[in-house]
Each structure stands twice: as C-alpha cells, then as structure tokens.
Amino acid sequence: METYMKNKAQENEGYFGIYGGQYISEELKAEFDSIYSQFLKLKNDEKFQEELKDLFEHFSCRPTPVYFAKNLSKEYDCEIYLKREDLNHTGAHKINHSLGEALLAKKIGKKKVIAETGAGQHGVAIATAAALLGLECDIYMGETDIQKALPNVNRMKILGANVISVHSGQMTLKEAVDAAFEAYQNEYKTALYTIGSVVGPHPFPTIVEYFQSVIGKEAREQFITMTGGLPDCVIACVGGGSNAIGMFDGFIEDKGVKLYGVEPLGKGEKIGENAASLTYGREGILHGFKCLLLQNPDNTVADAYSVASGLDYPGVGPKHCYLKDTGRVEYKTINDNEAIEAFYKLSRTEGIIPALESSHAVAYAIKIAGENRGKKLLINLSGRGDKDIDFVLKHYPKKA
Ligand SMILES: *Cc1c(COP(=O)(O)O)cnc(C)c1O
C-alpha cells in the first residue's frame, strides 16, 4: 500500500494524478505543512501507535469482525461477506479517523477541534473523540440539517460540543464546510480542523486515509483466515470516500481483486438529482482541493442529493478521482429505490439494519451477484441504520 501510494499517486506530494493539492492561502499552507510533518513523525512514533491501537481496541471495539452473510449468500448463489464497521462505537467507520485526528490534535498541542457535519454522523464521532481526549469541540452544521437530524444534534450537545448553526445558502453540508473553514482560519494556532472524509486540501485526504486504512488491513487478514484466500470483489459506498479508500487500501496491490466504489444516483442522472461526483462530475476546485465535482452548466457548484445524507457531497476525495483514471477501481451507481430495497433485504435476511449509505454497497453486490455465481464478494458495511429507521418507515414503509 505504501509503495503504491508513493510511486504512483504521490510523486508530487499532496497530488493524486492531477487531483488534490492545496488551493488555500499561503498562511494556511505553512500551518498545513507543519501539521503534515508532525503527523509523519507521529506515524512512526511507537507511543502514538500504541495509544491509537488502545483506543481502537478498547474504546471502539476493533477489530470489527468480517461476517459471512449465509442467508443472503444462499439467496443470490454466491458468497457474501460483510466487514462490520457498523459495530464500531457510535455506529460507523467515522470514529476511526475521528479518534486519529483528535489524538493528533492533542499531540501537536491544540486545545480545540473544529469540524463540519452534514447529517451529524461525523459531528457525533468527533464530539465523542473530543470528550474522551479532553478537547474543546466546535461543530458547524447547516440549519436545514439541524432540523433534520435533531437526535444527533442532541448527542453532540450531551457530549459537550458547541453546535453552531449555519444559515447561508442551502444551509446544508457545503455551507457548513465553508463556515467551519472560515472559523478555522481565525483559530488555527490553537485548533485543528478535523475534516470528516478524505477530502479538503493536502494533507487531510492523506491523514484521514491513514486512519481509515485499518479497515482494509484487518479485512484482508480476516478474510484470508476465514476462507484461505482473497475475495473476488470488494465493494464500498463512496460519499467523500473515506470508508471506501480505507477498505481498498487493503486490497489495492492484489491485482486479482476487483474493487468497486458505489456512488449515489439519488433520483436520477440529471445534475441536482444525485451525488455521483465520479460519474457525472467535471474537474473543479472546492474547499481547497481539486477533484471531480458536480457542477452546473455555468460551472457553479451543483446541489448534491441522495436519500443517504452521508453521501450527498458534490465533490469526492482526490485519490478516488485518480483511481478512476487509472482504472484500478470501477465506480458504479445505485439509486435511492435500489438502496432502500437493499436496506430492507439485509435487515430481513440477516437481521442487520444497515445505514442507508452502506445500503448502496449492499445493493450493488446484489446487482452483480448474478454474474458472479459462486464467487466471494466482500462488502464494507460502513455503518448501522438506527439513525435512518424513522425516515425509512415514514417515507418507504414496507409490510412484513
Ligand atoms: C458518512 C458516512 C459515509 C460516507 O462517507 P465516506 O467518507 O464516503 O465513507 C458512508 N457510510 C456511513 C455509515 C457514513 O456515516
């Protein structure tokens, strides 16, 4: 993994092919370069690694298991396995990079973490890590999202975070990132921006990927122990791309393993109806980095939509854009209805209620099962669906 990253993607530090980079002020560049060099030092520091491992094991219940989904496998005539990131503390993979980023903040002497959140999942994870490590925590969240995700807002408040409502534009994730970034520019001497995915200016995509790569590292070993070999296909949903890149890192050097990233097609193919940045995006710059970006004909940033609010970001991690160009990962789409079907299917065949985000990956596995008879498919089940049950029952009820 290290060699692949260095030789092919990171010849030019902070760039993945033509994507990534740092489209920010000189002042912040100096700060980010300093954060990056401190991160690289800590990465090789035994004590830091021990502390991180301890948090992963005893706080977040790692390693999460790989589970053979027997009933689903039987129904679709192939072997379907789930990497159970839904069993993490706080219910999703986001705790992995949140613990890492908060520990990094603490080690480099910051008093506070600043973050954005959409549906509140990243906000809860970072507020949890901040509470544990004794850091102040400011979470920026669009007012529309606050109204939609009150239980998560309440969790953050209980955990001691300041939830700051953002009232500009659509009042959702994009505006929350804008506001958090602006606040951070005034506070960077005492605070660390703890971004929620493998997005943003260098070095954030690399730092978040590093903390998420534990998923793929564990999954590869677990899979070999269970089955004696590697999976034929590995499937993960892609919002910003952190759970997917963490999973893919474990298998990227295994050329025989097909890797699929699944984007949300939402209501359809038109700009504004989906959040499939890798499929319908054009090269552009958002939030300090270059990526494939959903844009209107006049090059303004388009609204992103998915039934899974954790997936509705108009941009995507720069490394995914690069992996698309190289062809190592295939990026596919699943629409709202297919994701909802998969949500019920996994709940009713395996007794596991998946997050709507993760349901996109499950739906794609089901879609390709027919052409993969007898083969082994490994899905990254990025999170659990507790947060989605009220919404699904209200808008997509289904009889027993
Ligand atoms: C936030 C979230 C995602 C999307 O984020 P990535 O950075 O693309 O992983 C996926 N699944 C769950 C459960 C989430 O909470």
Short mmCIF file of all heavy atoms in Angstrom, two decimals, residues 136-186:
data_model
loop_
_atom_site.label_atom_id
_atom_site.label_comp_id
_atom_site.label_asym_id
_atom_site.label_seq_id
_atom_site.Cartn_x
_atom_site.Cartn_y
_atom_site.Cartn_z
N GLU A 136 -11.75 20.86 23.46
CA GLU A 136 -12.97 21.60 23.11
C GLU A 136 -13.39 21.21 21.71
O GLU A 136 -12.56 20.79 20.91
CB GLU A 136 -12.69 23.11 23.10
CG GLU A 136 -12.56 23.75 24.46
CD GLU A 136 -12.14 25.21 24.28
OE1 GLU A 136 -12.84 25.95 23.57
OE2 GLU A 136 -11.08 25.56 24.83
N CYS A 137 -14.68 21.40 21.40
CA CYS A 137 -15.17 20.92 20.11
C CYS A 137 -16.25 21.85 19.56
O CYS A 137 -17.28 22.04 20.19
CB CYS A 137 -15.72 19.51 20.31
SG CYS A 137 -16.37 18.76 18.84
N ASP A 138 -15.96 22.47 18.40
CA ASP A 138 -16.96 23.30 17.71
C ASP A 138 -17.41 22.58 16.44
O ASP A 138 -16.58 22.26 15.58
CB ASP A 138 -16.34 24.64 17.30
CG ASP A 138 -16.16 25.59 18.48
OD1 ASP A 138 -16.60 25.23 19.60
OD2 ASP A 138 -15.57 26.67 18.27
N ILE A 139 -18.70 22.36 16.33
CA ILE A 139 -19.24 21.66 15.16
C ILE A 139 -20.14 22.61 14.37
O ILE A 139 -21.12 23.13 14.91
CB ILE A 139 -20.09 20.44 15.58
CG1 ILE A 139 -19.30 19.49 16.46
CG2 ILE A 139 -20.66 19.74 14.35
CD1 ILE A 139 -18.26 18.68 15.76
N TYR A 140 -19.81 22.82 13.11
CA TYR A 140 -20.64 23.67 12.23
C TYR A 140 -21.61 22.80 11.45
O TYR A 140 -21.23 21.78 10.87
CB TYR A 140 -19.74 24.48 11.29
CG TYR A 140 -18.98 25.54 12.07
CD1 TYR A 140 -17.84 25.20 12.80
CD2 TYR A 140 -19.44 26.84 12.14
CE1 TYR A 140 -17.16 26.14 13.55
CE2 TYR A 140 -18.77 27.80 12.90
CZ TYR A 140 -17.63 27.44 13.60
OH TYR A 140 -16.97 28.37 14.35
N MET A 141 -22.88 23.24 11.45
CA MET A 141 -23.91 22.41 10.84
C MET A 141 -24.97 23.32 10.23
O MET A 141 -25.40 24.31 10.86
CB MET A 141 -24.52 21.54 11.95
CG MET A 141 -25.45 20.46 11.47
SD MET A 141 -25.76 19.30 12.85
CE MET A 141 -26.86 18.16 12.03
N GLY A 142 -25.38 23.02 9.00
CA GLY A 142 -26.42 23.82 8.33
C GLY A 142 -27.74 23.72 9.09
O GLY A 142 -28.07 22.66 9.63
N GLU A 143 -28.48 24.84 9.13
CA GLU A 143 -29.72 24.86 9.90
C GLU A 143 -30.73 23.82 9.37
O GLU A 143 -31.45 23.19 10.14
CB GLU A 143 -30.34 26.27 9.90
CG GLU A 143 -31.62 26.42 10.69
CD GLU A 143 -31.51 26.05 12.18
OE1 GLU A 143 -30.43 26.20 12.77
OE2 GLU A 143 -32.54 25.57 12.73
N THR A 144 -30.76 23.63 8.04
CA THR A 144 -31.66 22.61 7.47
C THR A 144 -31.32 21.23 8.03
O THR A 144 -32.21 20.46 8.42
CB THR A 144 -31.50 22.57 5.93
OG1 THR A 144 -31.62 23.90 5.43
CG2 THR A 144 -32.56 21.70 5.29
N ASP A 145 -30.03 20.93 8.08
CA ASP A 145 -29.58 19.64 8.61
C ASP A 145 -29.88 19.51 10.10
O ASP A 145 -30.23 18.43 10.59
CB ASP A 145 -28.08 19.45 8.37
CG ASP A 145 -27.76 19.21 6.90
OD1 ASP A 145 -28.67 18.75 6.17
OD2 ASP A 145 -26.62 19.47 6.49
N ILE A 146 -29.74 20.62 10.83
CA ILE A 146 -30.01 20.58 12.28
C ILE A 146 -31.46 20.15 12.51
O ILE A 146 -31.74 19.29 13.36
CB ILE A 146 -29.73 21.96 12.93
CG1 ILE A 146 -28.22 22.20 12.99
CG2 ILE A 146 -30.36 22.04 14.33
CD1 ILE A 146 -27.80 23.51 13.65
N GLN A 147 -32.36 20.73 11.72
CA GLN A 147 -33.78 20.38 11.88
C GLN A 147 -34.03 18.91 11.54
O GLN A 147 -34.87 18.26 12.15
CB GLN A 147 -34.66 21.27 10.99
CG GLN A 147 -34.62 22.76 11.35
CD GLN A 147 -34.96 23.02 12.81
OE1 GLN A 147 -35.74 22.28 13.42
NE2 GLN A 147 -34.35 24.04 13.40
N LYS A 148 -33.28 18.40 10.55
CA LYS A 148 -33.50 17.02 10.09
C LYS A 148 -32.86 15.98 10.99
O LYS A 148 -33.27 14.82 11.01
CB LYS A 148 -32.94 16.85 8.67
CG LYS A 148 -33.98 17.19 7.63
CD LYS A 148 -33.51 17.25 6.20
CE LYS A 148 -32.69 16.23 5.56
NZ LYS A 148 -32.29 16.67 4.20
N ALA A 149 -31.82 16.38 11.70
CA ALA A 149 -31.03 15.38 12.45
C ALA A 149 -30.94 15.74 13.93
O ALA A 149 -29.86 15.68 14.52
CB ALA A 149 -29.64 15.26 11.83
N LEU A 150 -32.07 16.08 14.51
CA LEU A 150 -32.06 16.52 15.92
C LEU A 150 -31.46 15.52 16.91
O LEU A 150 -30.73 15.92 17.81
CB LEU A 150 -33.47 16.92 16.36
CG LEU A 150 -33.84 18.39 16.04
CD1 LEU A 150 -35.28 18.66 16.46
CD2 LEU A 150 -32.89 19.37 16.71
N PRO A 151 -31.73 14.22 16.76
CA PRO A 151 -31.11 13.28 17.71
C PRO A 151 -29.59 13.39 17.74
O PRO A 151 -28.98 13.35 18.81
CB PRO A 151 -31.56 11.91 17.22
CG PRO A 151 -32.82 12.17 16.46
CD PRO A 151 -32.65 13.52 15.83
N ASN A 152 -28.97 13.55 16.55
CA ASN A 152 -27.52 13.69 16.52
C ASN A 152 -27.07 15.02 17.11
O ASN A 152 -26.03 15.09 17.77
CB ASN A 152 -26.99 13.56 15.09
CG ASN A 152 -26.76 12.10 14.70
OD1 ASN A 152 -26.69 11.24 15.59
ND2 ASN A 152 -26.65 11.83 13.43
N VAL A 153 -27.85 16.08 16.88
CA VAL A 153 -27.53 17.38 17.48
C VAL A 153 -27.55 17.24 19.01
O VAL A 153 -26.64 17.71 19.71
CB VAL A 153 -28.54 18.46 17.03
CG1 VAL A 153 -28.28 19.78 17.75
CG2 VAL A 153 -28.46 18.65 15.52
N ASN A 154 -28.55 16.54 19.52
CA ASN A 154 -28.65 16.34 20.97
C ASN A 154 -27.49 15.50 21.50
O ASN A 154 -26.97 15.78 22.58
CB ASN A 154 -29.99 15.69 21.32
CG ASN A 154 -31.14 16.67 21.06
OD1 ASN A 154 -30.94 17.89 21.04
ND2 ASN A 154 -32.33 16.14 20.85
N ARG A 155 -27.08 14.49 20.74
CA ARG A 155 -25.92 13.69 21.15
C ARG A 155 -24.69 14.58 21.29
O ARG A 155 -23.97 14.50 22.28
CB ARG A 155 -25.63 12.59 20.12
CG ARG A 155 -26.48 11.37 20.30
CD ARG A 155 -26.09 10.25 19.33
NE ARG A 155 -27.18 9.30 19.36
CZ ARG A 155 -28.05 9.11 18.39
NH1 ARG A 155 -27.95 9.75 17.26
NH2 ARG A 155 -29.05 8.26 18.54
N MET A 156 -24.47 15.40 20.28
CA MET A 156 -23.28 16.28 20.32
C MET A 156 -23.33 17.19 21.53
O MET A 156 -22.32 17.41 22.20
CB MET A 156 -23.20 17.12 19.04
CG MET A 156 -22.80 16.33 17.82
SD MET A 156 -22.66 17.39 16.37
CE MET A 156 -24.16 16.99 15.49
N LYS A 157 -24.53 17.72 21.83
CA LYS A 157 -24.66 18.62 22.99
C LYS A 157 -24.37 17.87 24.28
O LYS A 157 -23.67 18.38 25.16
CB LYS A 157 -26.07 19.21 23.02
CG LYS A 157 -26.27 20.28 21.95
CD LYS A 157 -27.65 20.90 22.05
CE LYS A 157 -27.83 21.98 21.00
NZ LYS A 157 -29.26 22.32 20.81
N ILE A 158 -24.90 16.68 24.41
CA ILE A 158 -24.64 15.89 25.61
C ILE A 158 -23.15 15.61 25.77
O ILE A 158 -22.61 15.63 26.87
CB ILE A 158 -25.45 14.57 25.58
CG1 ILE A 158 -26.93 14.89 25.82
CG2 ILE A 158 -24.93 13.56 26.61
CD1 ILE A 158 -27.87 13.74 25.60
N LEU A 159 -22.48 15.40 24.64
CA LEU A 159 -21.04 15.12 24.66
C LEU A 159 -20.20 16.36 24.94
O LEU A 159 -18.98 16.27 25.07
CB LEU A 159 -20.61 14.48 23.33
CG LEU A 159 -21.14 13.06 23.09
CD1 LEU A 159 -21.10 12.70 21.62
CD2 LEU A 159 -20.36 12.04 23.92
N GLY A 160 -20.86 17.52 25.01
CA GLY A 160 -20.14 18.74 25.38
C GLY A 160 -19.66 19.59 24.21
O GLY A 160 -18.89 20.52 24.41
N ALA A 161 -20.13 19.30 23.01
CA ALA A 161 -19.70 20.08 21.84
C ALA A 161 -20.57 21.32 21.68
O ALA A 161 -21.73 21.34 22.09
CB ALA A 161 -19.79 19.22 20.59
N ASN A 162 -19.99 22.39 21.07
CA ASN A 162 -20.78 23.54 20.66
C ASN A 162 -21.27 23.28 19.25
O ASN A 162 -20.46 23.12 18.34
CB ASN A 162 -19.93 24.81 20.62
CG ASN A 162 -19.28 25.09 21.94
OD1 ASN A 162 -19.97 25.15 22.96
ND2 ASN A 162 -17.97 25.25 21.95
N VAL A 163 -22.58 23.23 19.07
CA VAL A 163 -23.12 23.06 17.72
C VAL A 163 -23.49 24.44 17.19
O VAL A 163 -24.32 25.13 17.78
CB VAL A 163 -24.34 22.12 17.72
CG1 VAL A 163 -24.88 21.96 16.30
CG2 VAL A 163 -23.98 20.78 18.33
N ILE A 164 -22.83 24.84 16.10
CA ILE A 164 -23.02 26.20 15.58
C ILE A 164 -23.82 26.12 14.28
O ILE A 164 -23.42 25.47 13.31
CB ILE A 164 -21.64 26.87 15.34
CG1 ILE A 164 -20.93 26.99 16.70
CG2 ILE A 164 -21.82 28.24 14.69
CD1 ILE A 164 -19.45 26.91 16.64
N SER A 165 -24.98 26.77 14.30
CA SER A 165 -25.91 26.70 13.17
C SER A 165 -25.46 27.62 12.03
O SER A 165 -25.08 28.77 12.26
CB SER A 165 -27.30 27.10 13.67
OG SER A 165 -28.13 27.37 12.58
N VAL A 166 -25.48 27.10 10.80
CA VAL A 166 -25.06 27.87 9.63
C VAL A 166 -26.29 28.21 8.78
O VAL A 166 -27.07 27.31 8.43
CB VAL A 166 -24.04 27.07 8.79
CG1 VAL A 166 -23.63 27.83 7.54
CG2 VAL A 166 -22.80 26.73 9.63
N HIS A 167 -26.45 29.50 8.48
CA HIS A 167 -27.69 29.95 7.83
C HIS A 167 -27.52 30.40 6.38
O HIS A 167 -28.46 30.94 5.80
CB HIS A 167 -28.32 31.09 8.65
CG HIS A 167 -28.93 30.61 9.92
ND1 HIS A 167 -30.28 30.32 10.04
CD2 HIS A 167 -28.38 30.32 11.11
CE1 HIS A 167 -30.52 29.89 11.27
NE2 HIS A 167 -29.38 29.88 11.95
N SER A 168 -26.35 30.18 5.79
CA SER A 168 -26.15 30.66 4.41
C SER A 168 -26.58 29.59 3.39
O SER A 168 -26.64 28.40 3.70
CB SER A 168 -24.68 31.03 4.20
OG SER A 168 -23.85 29.96 4.60
N GLY A 169 -26.86 30.03 2.17
CA GLY A 169 -27.15 29.15 1.03
C GLY A 169 -28.24 28.12 1.30
O GLY A 169 -29.30 28.44 1.85
N GLN A 170 -27.94 26.87 0.92
CA GLN A 170 -28.90 25.77 1.13
C GLN A 170 -28.97 25.36 2.61
O GLN A 170 -29.78 24.52 2.97
CB GLN A 170 -28.45 24.54 0.34
CG GLN A 170 -28.37 24.74 -1.16
CD GLN A 170 -29.73 24.68 -1.79
OE1 GLN A 170 -30.51 23.77 -1.50
NE2 GLN A 170 -30.05 25.65 -2.60
N MET A 171 -28.08 25.91 3.42
CA MET A 171 -27.98 25.58 4.85
C MET A 171 -27.74 24.08 5.08
O MET A 171 -28.32 23.47 5.96
CB MET A 171 -29.24 26.04 5.61
CG MET A 171 -29.51 27.52 5.46
SD MET A 171 -30.76 28.13 6.59
CE MET A 171 -32.24 27.72 5.69
N THR A 172 -26.87 23.48 4.21
CA THR A 172 -26.52 22.06 4.40
C THR A 172 -24.99 21.90 4.45
O THR A 172 -24.28 22.83 4.83
CB THR A 172 -27.15 21.15 3.32
OG1 THR A 172 -26.65 21.53 2.05
CG2 THR A 172 -28.66 21.24 3.33
N LEU A 173 -24.51 20.72 4.07
CA LEU A 173 -23.10 20.37 4.31
C LEU A 173 -22.10 21.32 3.67
O LEU A 173 -21.12 21.72 4.31
CB LEU A 173 -22.85 18.93 3.83
CG LEU A 173 -21.41 18.42 4.01
CD1 LEU A 173 -21.01 18.42 5.48
CD2 LEU A 173 -21.27 17.01 3.44
N LYS A 174 -22.33 21.69 2.41
CA LYS A 174 -21.35 22.54 1.72
C LYS A 174 -21.15 23.86 2.48
O LYS A 174 -20.02 24.30 2.71
CB LYS A 174 -21.81 22.81 0.29
CG LYS A 174 -20.80 23.59 -0.52
CD LYS A 174 -21.37 23.96 -1.88
CE LYS A 174 -20.73 25.23 -2.39
NZ LYS A 174 -21.07 26.44 -1.62
N GLU A 175 -22.24 24.46 2.90
CA GLU A 175 -22.15 25.73 3.64
C GLU A 175 -21.52 25.52 5.02
O GLU A 175 -20.81 26.40 5.53
CB GLU A 175 -23.54 26.36 3.81
CG GLU A 175 -24.17 26.84 2.50
CD GLU A 175 -24.78 25.74 1.66
OE1 GLU A 175 -25.12 24.68 2.23
OE2 GLU A 175 -24.92 25.91 0.44
N ALA A 176 -21.78 24.34 5.62
CA ALA A 176 -21.17 24.04 6.93
C ALA A 176 -19.65 23.97 6.80
O ALA A 176 -18.91 24.46 7.66
CB ALA A 176 -21.73 22.73 7.49
N VAL A 177 -19.16 23.36 5.70
CA VAL A 177 -17.71 23.29 5.48
C VAL A 177 -17.15 24.70 5.30
O VAL A 177 -16.13 25.06 5.89
CB VAL A 177 -17.35 22.43 4.24
CG1 VAL A 177 -15.84 22.37 4.05
CG2 VAL A 177 -17.90 21.02 4.39
N ASP A 178 -17.84 25.52 4.49
CA ASP A 178 -17.40 26.91 4.29
C ASP A 178 -17.25 27.62 5.63
O ASP A 178 -16.23 28.27 5.90
CB ASP A 178 -18.43 27.69 3.44
CG ASP A 178 -18.49 27.21 2.00
OD1 ASP A 178 -17.49 26.63 1.53
OD2 ASP A 178 -19.53 27.41 1.34
N ALA A 179 -18.27 27.50 6.48
CA ALA A 179 -18.27 28.22 7.77
C ALA A 179 -17.20 27.68 8.71
O ALA A 179 -16.52 28.46 9.39
CB ALA A 179 -19.65 28.10 8.42
N ALA A 180 -17.03 26.37 8.74
CA ALA A 180 -16.02 25.77 9.63
C ALA A 180 -14.63 26.20 9.19
O ALA A 180 -13.77 26.53 10.01
CB ALA A 180 -16.14 24.24 9.60
N PHE A 181 -14.43 26.23 7.88
CA PHE A 181 -13.13 26.62 7.34
C PHE A 181 -12.81 28.08 7.68
O PHE A 181 -11.68 28.41 8.04
CB PHE A 181 -13.14 26.41 5.83
CG PHE A 181 -11.82 25.92 5.32
CD1 PHE A 181 -11.48 24.58 5.47
CD2 PHE A 181 -10.92 26.79 4.74
CE1 PHE A 181 -10.26 24.13 5.04
CE2 PHE A 181 -9.69 26.34 4.30
CZ PHE A 181 -9.35 25.01 4.45
N GLU A 182 -13.84 28.93 7.56
CA GLU A 182 -13.65 30.34 7.87
C GLU A 182 -13.28 30.53 9.35
O GLU A 182 -12.36 31.27 9.68
CB GLU A 182 -14.94 31.08 7.54
CG GLU A 182 -14.74 32.55 7.27
CD GLU A 182 -16.06 33.21 6.89
OE1 GLU A 182 -16.71 32.72 5.95
OE2 GLU A 182 -16.44 34.17 7.58
N ALA A 183 -13.99 29.82 10.21
CA ALA A 183 -13.71 29.91 11.65
C ALA A 183 -12.29 29.42 11.93
O ALA A 183 -11.53 30.03 12.70
CB ALA A 183 -14.72 29.09 12.44
N TYR A 184 -11.93 28.34 11.26
CA TYR A 184 -10.62 27.74 11.49
C TYR A 184 -9.48 28.70 11.12
O TYR A 184 -8.46 28.76 11.80
CB TYR A 184 -10.50 26.45 10.68
CG TYR A 184 -9.13 25.84 10.69
CD1 TYR A 184 -8.63 25.27 11.86
CD2 TYR A 184 -8.33 25.85 9.56
CE1 TYR A 184 -7.36 24.72 11.89
CE2 TYR A 184 -7.06 25.30 9.58
CZ TYR A 184 -6.58 24.74 10.74
OH TYR A 184 -5.32 24.20 10.76
N GLN A 185 -9.69 29.48 10.05
CA GLN A 185 -8.65 30.42 9.63
C GLN A 185 -8.31 31.43 10.72
O GLN A 185 -7.21 31.93 10.78
CB GLN A 185 -9.09 31.15 8.36
CG GLN A 185 -9.15 30.17 7.20
CD GLN A 185 -9.33 30.84 5.86
OE1 GLN A 185 -9.94 31.90 5.78
NE2 GLN A 185 -8.81 30.22 4.83
N ASN A 186 -9.28 31.71 11.60
CA ASN A 186 -9.03 32.63 12.71
C ASN A 186 -8.48 31.93 13.95
O ASN A 186 -8.04 32.59 14.88
CB ASN A 186 -10.32 33.36 13.09
CG ASN A 186 -10.86 34.17 11.94
OD1 ASN A 186 -10.09 34.79 11.19
ND2 ASN A 186 -12.16 34.14 11.76
#
